[in-house]
Amino acid sequence: MMLVGYSSSSDEESDAGGVQAGVAPDHNKTFPRNCLQDGDGSDCPTTKKLKIEKSSPSTRLPLPGCLLSMFPEDEEPQTEDSSLHDGRIRSFKHERGNWATYVYFPSAFGVVLAPQEEFHLSLSQTVVLRHHWIQPFIQSLKAGLTPCKRFVSSASRLKVYCNAEKTRTFLGMEVVTGHAQLLNVVRVVDRTLTDFHLDTFYQDPSFHVSLAWCVGDFTVQLTQCLHELQNLVDNHEEEPYQLWLDCAELRCCAGNKTFRFPLDA
Ligand code: AMP
């Protein structure tokens, strides 16, 4: 079983690069005030790229390097070789222009076995967004989240999860406080997903942070050692181990872009 250090339970595009606050890096487009974007600056419209690709080689003038660098590739070359992804199997087929998208709270913490990594608490499933839907989707999320306030959540109950395709099993720590506030945020996210005709989150979500995962469905086997593992958590030093999550900034990852939504105190 591997310790989780990934940004999606399905599959992901490449990770985001540097952070640029408030402004889309290439076109100087202003992004929503409280929506910051990480990314590689490749926010170029797909149509522009297609025009470049479709012109015949004989009529094509060489583009100056400075222009080419304005339209970097949005998408990483994709590979279906699961051995290159720790054995993970893609949940849905990759198609050019489709951006795997999910919403989550980031979580940075240390557990006995894991170094600080990119742990997260999911508030959506991974859905597929067309590139031109990303900005209106983000605007919709931003508008819906305005009344949501920052809160603290805690998790301490180990639980086994399996993805819908039964291709990966997760050992997660389930939330014990903050459930009502998390449901509130899910309602907002679900509203946006519904507006975009995308699948909403679980009807009865079990909010959790995955700590470790393995390829395949090992629900039975892992559940058998859950009691023993929970004892380790409960008897941690002087008091039971509790995972505290400061839910101060919601994030939405779409392909290789990460949008941030700070919540008011
Ligand atoms: P995550 O660590 O958020 O990526 O979640 C790990 C896996 O748990 C995902 O593949 C989810 O589909 C799965 N899962 C199964 N049942 C639930 C549930 N009731 N609530 C949330 N996630 C679930």
Side-chain angles (χ1 to χ4, degrees), residues 56-86:
S56 102
S58 56
T59 58
R60 198 187 297 159
L61 288 173
L63 278 173
C66 60
L67 272 183
L68 280 172
S69 65
M70 287 172 68
F71 302 103
E73 275 297 307
D74 276 336
E75 292 160 301
E76 290 287 288
Q78 299 297 318
T79 169
E80 300 303 324
D81 185 352
S82 67
S83 67
L84 300 176
H85 303 284
D86 303 319

PDB file of all heavy atoms in Angstrom, residues 56-86:
ATOM      1  N   SER A  56      -1.798  24.664 -43.522  1.00  0.00           N
ATOM      2  CA  SER A  56      -0.959  23.683 -44.193  1.00  0.00           C
ATOM      3  C   SER A  56       0.517  24.051 -44.031  1.00  0.00           C
ATOM      4  O   SER A  56       0.876  25.227 -44.018  1.00  0.00           O
ATOM      5  CB  SER A  56      -1.341  23.615 -45.674  1.00  0.00           C
ATOM      6  OG  SER A  56      -0.412  24.325 -46.418  1.00  0.00           O
ATOM      7  N   PRO A  57       1.379  23.052 -43.913  1.00  0.00           N
ATOM      8  CA  PRO A  57       2.793  23.318 -43.656  1.00  0.00           C
ATOM      9  C   PRO A  57       3.412  24.220 -44.721  1.00  0.00           C
ATOM     10  O   PRO A  57       4.249  25.052 -44.436  1.00  0.00           O
ATOM     11  CB  PRO A  57       3.427  21.931 -43.657  1.00  0.00           C
ATOM     12  CG  PRO A  57       2.298  20.975 -43.499  1.00  0.00           C
ATOM     13  CD  PRO A  57       1.068  21.646 -44.015  1.00  0.00           C
ATOM     14  N   SER A  58       2.943  24.087 -46.025  1.00  0.00           N
ATOM     15  CA  SER A  58       3.562  24.853 -47.096  1.00  0.00           C
ATOM     16  C   SER A  58       3.251  26.345 -46.971  1.00  0.00           C
ATOM     17  O   SER A  58       4.053  27.185 -47.334  1.00  0.00           O
ATOM     18  CB  SER A  58       3.103  24.313 -48.450  1.00  0.00           C
ATOM     19  OG  SER A  58       1.697  24.351 -48.475  1.00  0.00           O
ATOM     20  N   THR A  59       2.013  26.689 -46.469  1.00  0.00           N
ATOM     21  CA  THR A  59       1.637  28.096 -46.375  1.00  0.00           C
ATOM     22  C   THR A  59       2.008  28.691 -45.024  1.00  0.00           C
ATOM     23  O   THR A  59       1.847  29.874 -44.817  1.00  0.00           O
ATOM     24  CB  THR A  59       0.121  28.257 -46.573  1.00  0.00           C
ATOM     25  OG1 THR A  59      -0.509  27.457 -45.572  1.00  0.00           O
ATOM     26  CG2 THR A  59      -0.330  27.825 -47.948  1.00  0.00           C
ATOM     27  N   ARG A  60       2.493  27.828 -44.146  1.00  0.00           N
ATOM     28  CA  ARG A  60       2.716  28.293 -42.774  1.00  0.00           C
ATOM     29  C   ARG A  60       3.999  29.108 -42.665  1.00  0.00           C
ATOM     30  O   ARG A  60       5.055  28.677 -43.113  1.00  0.00           O
ATOM     31  CB  ARG A  60       2.802  27.073 -41.851  1.00  0.00           C
ATOM     32  CG  ARG A  60       2.590  27.430 -40.404  1.00  0.00           C
ATOM     33  CD  ARG A  60       2.851  26.252 -39.530  1.00  0.00           C
ATOM     34  NE  ARG A  60       1.937  25.128 -39.779  1.00  0.00           N
ATOM     35  CZ  ARG A  60       2.230  23.888 -39.438  1.00  0.00           C
ATOM     36  NH1 ARG A  60       3.382  23.596 -38.883  1.00  0.00           N
ATOM     37  NH2 ARG A  60       1.357  22.922 -39.658  1.00  0.00           N
ATOM     38  N   LEU A  61       3.861  30.332 -42.118  1.00  0.00           N
ATOM     39  CA  LEU A  61       5.065  31.126 -41.844  1.00  0.00           C
ATOM     40  C   LEU A  61       5.607  30.711 -40.490  1.00  0.00           C
ATOM     41  O   LEU A  61       4.827  30.416 -39.596  1.00  0.00           O
ATOM     42  CB  LEU A  61       4.704  32.610 -41.810  1.00  0.00           C
ATOM     43  CG  LEU A  61       4.375  33.240 -43.151  1.00  0.00           C
ATOM     44  CD1 LEU A  61       3.860  34.664 -42.950  1.00  0.00           C
ATOM     45  CD2 LEU A  61       5.621  33.272 -44.041  1.00  0.00           C
ATOM     46  N   PRO A  62       6.908  30.703 -40.364  1.00  0.00           N
ATOM     47  CA  PRO A  62       7.438  30.346 -39.037  1.00  0.00           C
ATOM     48  C   PRO A  62       7.034  31.399 -38.015  1.00  0.00           C
ATOM     49  O   PRO A  62       7.124  32.597 -38.281  1.00  0.00           O
ATOM     50  CB  PRO A  62       8.951  30.310 -39.241  1.00  0.00           C
ATOM     51  CG  PRO A  62       9.207  31.059 -40.500  1.00  0.00           C
ATOM     52  CD  PRO A  62       7.960  31.017 -41.333  1.00  0.00           C
ATOM     53  N   LEU A  63       6.532  30.930 -36.874  1.00  0.00           N
ATOM     54  CA  LEU A  63       6.121  31.854 -35.819  1.00  0.00           C
ATOM     55  C   LEU A  63       7.327  32.236 -34.968  1.00  0.00           C
ATOM     56  O   LEU A  63       8.127  31.377 -34.629  1.00  0.00           O
ATOM     57  CB  LEU A  63       5.069  31.198 -34.916  1.00  0.00           C
ATOM     58  CG  LEU A  63       3.637  31.220 -35.413  1.00  0.00           C
ATOM     59  CD1 LEU A  63       2.772  30.382 -34.485  1.00  0.00           C
ATOM     60  CD2 LEU A  63       3.092  32.630 -35.488  1.00  0.00           C
ATOM     61  N   PRO A  64       7.452  33.535 -34.657  1.00  0.00           N
ATOM     62  CA  PRO A  64       8.548  33.913 -33.754  1.00  0.00           C
ATOM     63  C   PRO A  64       8.411  33.204 -32.421  1.00  0.00           C
ATOM     64  O   PRO A  64       7.297  32.949 -31.966  1.00  0.00           O
ATOM     65  CB  PRO A  64       8.350  35.422 -33.572  1.00  0.00           C
ATOM     66  CG  PRO A  64       7.351  35.842 -34.583  1.00  0.00           C
ATOM     67  CD  PRO A  64       6.602  34.627 -35.044  1.00  0.00           C
ATOM     68  N   GLY A  65       9.520  32.897 -31.824  1.00  0.00           N
ATOM     69  CA  GLY A  65       9.535  32.162 -30.546  1.00  0.00           C
ATOM     70  C   GLY A  65       8.688  32.823 -29.474  1.00  0.00           C
ATOM     71  O   GLY A  65       8.006  32.168 -28.699  1.00  0.00           O
ATOM     72  N   CYS A  66       8.694  34.191 -29.459  1.00  0.00           N
ATOM     73  CA  CYS A  66       7.954  34.879 -28.390  1.00  0.00           C
ATOM     74  C   CYS A  66       6.452  34.637 -28.544  1.00  0.00           C
ATOM     75  O   CYS A  66       5.710  34.604 -27.566  1.00  0.00           O
ATOM     76  CB  CYS A  66       8.262  36.370 -28.383  1.00  0.00           C
ATOM     77  SG  CYS A  66       7.833  37.167 -29.917  1.00  0.00           S
ATOM     78  N   LEU A  67       5.988  34.441 -29.817  1.00  0.00           N
ATOM     79  CA  LEU A  67       4.552  34.157 -30.014  1.00  0.00           C
ATOM     80  C   LEU A  67       4.236  32.728 -29.618  1.00  0.00           C
ATOM     81  O   LEU A  67       3.234  32.447 -28.980  1.00  0.00           O
ATOM     82  CB  LEU A  67       4.175  34.352 -31.482  1.00  0.00           C
ATOM     83  CG  LEU A  67       3.762  35.754 -31.890  1.00  0.00           C
ATOM     84  CD1 LEU A  67       3.352  35.763 -33.344  1.00  0.00           C
ATOM     85  CD2 LEU A  67       2.622  36.247 -31.017  1.00  0.00           C
ATOM     86  N   LEU A  68       5.114  31.830 -30.030  1.00  0.00           N
ATOM     87  CA  LEU A  68       4.895  30.410 -29.690  1.00  0.00           C
ATOM     88  C   LEU A  68       4.789  30.222 -28.187  1.00  0.00           C
ATOM     89  O   LEU A  68       3.955  29.461 -27.701  1.00  0.00           O
ATOM     90  CB  LEU A  68       6.048  29.555 -30.227  1.00  0.00           C
ATOM     91  CG  LEU A  68       5.977  29.213 -31.705  1.00  0.00           C
ATOM     92  CD1 LEU A  68       7.261  28.530 -32.139  1.00  0.00           C
ATOM     93  CD2 LEU A  68       4.770  28.324 -32.002  1.00  0.00           C
ATOM     94  N   SER A  69       5.626  30.968 -27.464  1.00  0.00           N
ATOM     95  CA  SER A  69       5.628  30.771 -26.008  1.00  0.00           C
ATOM     96  C   SER A  69       4.355  31.302 -25.368  1.00  0.00           C
ATOM     97  O   SER A  69       4.074  31.038 -24.206  1.00  0.00           O
ATOM     98  CB  SER A  69       6.859  31.426 -25.382  1.00  0.00           C
ATOM     99  OG  SER A  69       6.780  32.821 -25.576  1.00  0.00           O
ATOM    100  N   MET A  70       3.549  32.091 -26.137  1.00  0.00           N
ATOM    101  CA  MET A  70       2.266  32.560 -25.595  1.00  0.00           C
ATOM    102  C   MET A  70       1.226  31.456 -25.603  1.00  0.00           C
ATOM    103  O   MET A  70       0.196  31.547 -24.957  1.00  0.00           O
ATOM    104  CB  MET A  70       1.720  33.735 -26.427  1.00  0.00           C
ATOM    105  CG  MET A  70       2.476  35.025 -26.216  1.00  0.00           C
ATOM    106  SD  MET A  70       1.933  36.268 -27.376  1.00  0.00           S
ATOM    107  CE  MET A  70       0.279  36.574 -26.795  1.00  0.00           C
ATOM    108  N   PHE A  71       1.441  30.425 -26.408  1.00  0.00           N
ATOM    109  CA  PHE A  71       0.454  29.355 -26.529  1.00  0.00           C
ATOM    110  C   PHE A  71       1.079  28.000 -26.231  1.00  0.00           C
ATOM    111  O   PHE A  71       1.190  27.144 -27.096  1.00  0.00           O
ATOM    112  CB  PHE A  71      -0.152  29.358 -27.946  1.00  0.00           C
ATOM    113  CG  PHE A  71      -0.787  30.658 -28.297  1.00  0.00           C
ATOM    114  CD1 PHE A  71      -0.145  31.554 -29.135  1.00  0.00           C
ATOM    115  CD2 PHE A  71      -2.007  31.000 -27.757  1.00  0.00           C
ATOM    116  CE1 PHE A  71      -0.732  32.775 -29.440  1.00  0.00           C
ATOM    117  CE2 PHE A  71      -2.598  32.219 -28.055  1.00  0.00           C
ATOM    118  CZ  PHE A  71      -1.958  33.114 -28.898  1.00  0.00           C
ATOM    119  N   PRO A  72       1.502  27.821 -24.993  1.00  0.00           N
ATOM    120  CA  PRO A  72       2.089  26.517 -24.665  1.00  0.00           C
ATOM    121  C   PRO A  72       1.021  25.450 -24.689  1.00  0.00           C
ATOM    122  O   PRO A  72      -0.160  25.757 -24.629  1.00  0.00           O
ATOM    123  CB  PRO A  72       2.620  26.728 -23.243  1.00  0.00           C
ATOM    124  CG  PRO A  72       1.787  27.820 -22.684  1.00  0.00           C
ATOM    125  CD  PRO A  72       1.377  28.697 -23.839  1.00  0.00           C
ATOM    126  N   GLU A  73       1.455  24.212 -24.754  1.00  0.00           N
ATOM    127  CA  GLU A  73       0.507  23.095 -24.719  1.00  0.00           C
ATOM    128  C   GLU A  73      -0.269  23.118 -23.420  1.00  0.00           C
ATOM    129  O   GLU A  73       0.306  23.216 -22.350  1.00  0.00           O
ATOM    130  CB  GLU A  73       1.265  21.770 -24.826  1.00  0.00           C
ATOM    131  CG  GLU A  73       1.549  21.370 -26.247  1.00  0.00           C
ATOM    132  CD  GLU A  73       0.299  21.117 -27.054  1.00  0.00           C
ATOM    133  OE1 GLU A  73      -0.542  20.317 -26.606  1.00  0.00           O
ATOM    134  OE2 GLU A  73       0.147  21.732 -28.127  1.00  0.00           O
ATOM    135  N   ASP A  74      -1.598  23.049 -23.495  1.00  0.00           N
ATOM    136  CA  ASP A  74      -2.416  23.007 -22.297  1.00  0.00           C
ATOM    137  C   ASP A  74      -2.322  21.664 -21.621  1.00  0.00           C
ATOM    138  O   ASP A  74      -2.476  21.529 -20.429  1.00  0.00           O
ATOM    139  CB  ASP A  74      -3.892  23.226 -22.651  1.00  0.00           C
ATOM    140  CG  ASP A  74      -4.188  24.707 -22.746  1.00  0.00           C
ATOM    141  OD1 ASP A  74      -3.459  25.487 -22.127  1.00  0.00           O
ATOM    142  OD2 ASP A  74      -5.154  25.050 -23.431  1.00  0.00           O
ATOM    143  N   GLU A  75      -2.143  20.647 -22.429  1.00  0.00           N
ATOM    144  CA  GLU A  75      -2.269  19.307 -21.877  1.00  0.00           C
ATOM    145  C   GLU A  75      -0.974  18.539 -22.018  1.00  0.00           C
ATOM    146  O   GLU A  75      -0.267  18.665 -23.003  1.00  0.00           O
ATOM    147  CB  GLU A  75      -3.388  18.557 -22.603  1.00  0.00           C
ATOM    148  CG  GLU A  75      -4.727  19.163 -22.290  1.00  0.00           C
ATOM    149  CD  GLU A  75      -5.742  18.780 -23.324  1.00  0.00           C
ATOM    150  OE1 GLU A  75      -5.531  19.077 -24.500  1.00  0.00           O
ATOM    151  OE2 GLU A  75      -6.753  18.169 -22.960  1.00  0.00           O
ATOM    152  N   GLU A  76      -0.709  17.763 -21.012  1.00  0.00           N
ATOM    153  CA  GLU A  76       0.450  16.904 -21.038  1.00  0.00           C
ATOM    154  C   GLU A  76       0.221  15.792 -22.044  1.00  0.00           C
ATOM    155  O   GLU A  76      -0.906  15.353 -22.244  1.00  0.00           O
ATOM    156  CB  GLU A  76       0.606  16.248 -19.665  1.00  0.00           C
ATOM    157  CG  GLU A  76       1.023  17.209 -18.596  1.00  0.00           C
ATOM    158  CD  GLU A  76       2.467  17.613 -18.750  1.00  0.00           C
ATOM    159  OE1 GLU A  76       3.334  16.781 -18.486  1.00  0.00           O
ATOM    160  OE2 GLU A  76       2.727  18.760 -19.159  1.00  0.00           O
ATOM    161  N   PRO A  77       1.269  15.286 -22.688  1.00  0.00           N
ATOM    162  CA  PRO A  77       1.059  14.098 -23.503  1.00  0.00           C
ATOM    163  C   PRO A  77       0.501  12.990 -22.618  1.00  0.00           C
ATOM    164  O   PRO A  77       0.979  12.805 -21.501  1.00  0.00           O
ATOM    165  CB  PRO A  77       2.461  13.751 -24.013  1.00  0.00           C
ATOM    166  CG  PRO A  77       3.384  14.744 -23.438  1.00  0.00           C
ATOM    167  CD  PRO A  77       2.644  15.705 -22.580  1.00  0.00           C
ATOM    168  N   GLN A  78      -0.521  12.320 -23.081  1.00  0.00           N
ATOM    169  CA  GLN A  78      -1.171  11.323 -22.243  1.00  0.00           C
ATOM    170  C   GLN A  78      -0.642   9.936 -22.557  1.00  0.00           C
ATOM    171  O   GLN A  78      -0.309   9.625 -23.689  1.00  0.00           O
ATOM    172  CB  GLN A  78      -2.684  11.332 -22.484  1.00  0.00           C
ATOM    173  CG  GLN A  78      -3.311  12.659 -22.132  1.00  0.00           C
ATOM    174  CD  GLN A  78      -3.161  12.987 -20.657  1.00  0.00           C
ATOM    175  OE1 GLN A  78      -3.330  12.105 -19.803  1.00  0.00           O
ATOM    176  NE2 GLN A  78      -2.830  14.224 -20.352  1.00  0.00           N
ATOM    177  N   THR A  79      -0.588   9.118 -21.528  1.00  0.00           N
ATOM    178  CA  THR A  79      -0.186   7.745 -21.756  1.00  0.00           C
ATOM    179  C   THR A  79      -1.167   6.826 -21.059  1.00  0.00           C
ATOM    180  O   THR A  79      -1.676   7.149 -19.995  1.00  0.00           O
ATOM    181  CB  THR A  79       1.244   7.474 -21.258  1.00  0.00           C
ATOM    182  OG1 THR A  79       1.450   6.079 -21.289  1.00  0.00           O
ATOM    183  CG2 THR A  79       1.468   7.984 -19.845  1.00  0.00           C
ATOM    184  N   GLU A  80      -1.482   5.718 -21.696  1.00  0.00           N
ATOM    185  CA  GLU A  80      -2.412   4.766 -21.099  1.00  0.00           C
ATOM    186  C   GLU A  80      -1.653   3.679 -20.346  1.00  0.00           C
ATOM    187  O   GLU A  80      -2.236   2.737 -19.874  1.00  0.00           O
ATOM    188  CB  GLU A  80      -3.298   4.129 -22.178  1.00  0.00           C
ATOM    189  CG  GLU A  80      -4.153   5.118 -22.955  1.00  0.00           C
ATOM    190  CD  GLU A  80      -5.065   5.947 -22.062  1.00  0.00           C
ATOM    191  OE1 GLU A  80      -5.576   5.404 -21.053  1.00  0.00           O
ATOM    192  OE2 GLU A  80      -5.277   7.119 -22.355  1.00  0.00           O
ATOM    193  N   ASP A  81      -0.317   3.787 -20.291  1.00  0.00           N
ATOM    194  CA  ASP A  81       0.480   2.775 -19.624  1.00  0.00           C
ATOM    195  C   ASP A  81       0.370   2.956 -18.110  1.00  0.00           C
ATOM    196  O   ASP A  81       0.994   3.846 -17.527  1.00  0.00           O
ATOM    197  CB  ASP A  81       1.936   2.914 -20.101  1.00  0.00           C
ATOM    198  CG  ASP A  81       2.818   1.803 -19.533  1.00  0.00           C
ATOM    199  OD1 ASP A  81       2.317   1.046 -18.664  1.00  0.00           O
ATOM    200  OD2 ASP A  81       3.974   1.700 -19.952  1.00  0.00           O
ATOM    201  N   SER A  82      -0.422   2.071 -17.466  1.00  0.00           N
ATOM    202  CA  SER A  82      -0.685   2.265 -16.037  1.00  0.00           C
ATOM    203  C   SER A  82       0.569   2.046 -15.198  1.00  0.00           C
ATOM    204  O   SER A  82       0.645   2.519 -14.073  1.00  0.00           O
ATOM    205  CB  SER A  82      -1.815   1.349 -15.569  1.00  0.00           C
ATOM    206  OG  SER A  82      -1.406   0.009 -15.643  1.00  0.00           O
ATOM    207  N   SER A  83       1.572   1.362 -15.771  1.00  0.00           N
ATOM    208  CA  SER A  83       2.793   1.150 -14.998  1.00  0.00           C
ATOM    209  C   SER A  83       3.501   2.484 -14.748  1.00  0.00           C
ATOM    210  O   SER A  83       4.314   2.609 -13.843  1.00  0.00           O
ATOM    211  CB  SER A  83       3.729   0.179 -15.722  1.00  0.00           C
ATOM    212  OG  SER A  83       4.209   0.784 -16.904  1.00  0.00           O
ATOM    213  N   LEU A  84       3.194   3.476 -15.574  1.00  0.00           N
ATOM    214  CA  LEU A  84       3.805   4.792 -15.385  1.00  0.00           C
ATOM    215  C   LEU A  84       3.031   5.620 -14.368  1.00  0.00           C
ATOM    216  O   LEU A  84       3.380   6.738 -14.057  1.00  0.00           O
ATOM    217  CB  LEU A  84       3.867   5.547 -16.723  1.00  0.00           C
ATOM    218  CG  LEU A  84       4.680   4.858 -17.818  1.00  0.00           C
ATOM    219  CD1 LEU A  84       4.598   5.651 -19.116  1.00  0.00           C
ATOM    220  CD2 LEU A  84       6.134   4.689 -17.387  1.00  0.00           C
ATOM    221  N   HIS A  85       1.912   5.088 -13.864  1.00  0.00           N
ATOM    222  CA  HIS A  85       1.084   5.817 -12.885  1.00  0.00           C
ATOM    223  C   HIS A  85       0.862   4.950 -11.655  1.00  0.00           C
ATOM    224  O   HIS A  85      -0.253   4.840 -11.172  1.00  0.00           O
ATOM    225  CB  HIS A  85      -0.261   6.208 -13.509  1.00  0.00           C
ATOM    226  CG  HIS A  85      -0.111   7.036 -14.749  1.00  0.00           C
ATOM    227  ND1 HIS A  85       0.229   8.361 -14.711  1.00  0.00           N
ATOM    228  CD2 HIS A  85      -0.234   6.708 -16.055  1.00  0.00           C
ATOM    229  CE1 HIS A  85       0.304   8.826 -15.945  1.00  0.00           C
ATOM    230  NE2 HIS A  85       0.039   7.845 -16.770  1.00  0.00           N
ATOM    231  N   ASP A  86       1.889   4.310 -11.171  1.00  0.00           N
ATOM    232  CA  ASP A  86       1.818   3.452  -9.986  1.00  0.00           C
ATOM    233  C   ASP A  86       0.738   2.386 -10.119  1.00  0.00           C
ATOM    234  O   ASP A  86       0.107   2.009  -9.136  1.00  0.00           O
ATOM    235  CB  ASP A  86       1.541   4.278  -8.717  1.00  0.00           C
ATOM    236  CG  ASP A  86       2.583   5.359  -8.516  1.00  0.00           C
ATOM    237  OD1 ASP A  86       3.768   5.054  -8.740  1.00  0.00           O
ATOM    238  OD2 ASP A  86       2.209   6.481  -8.141  1.00  0.00           O
TER     239      ASP A  86
END
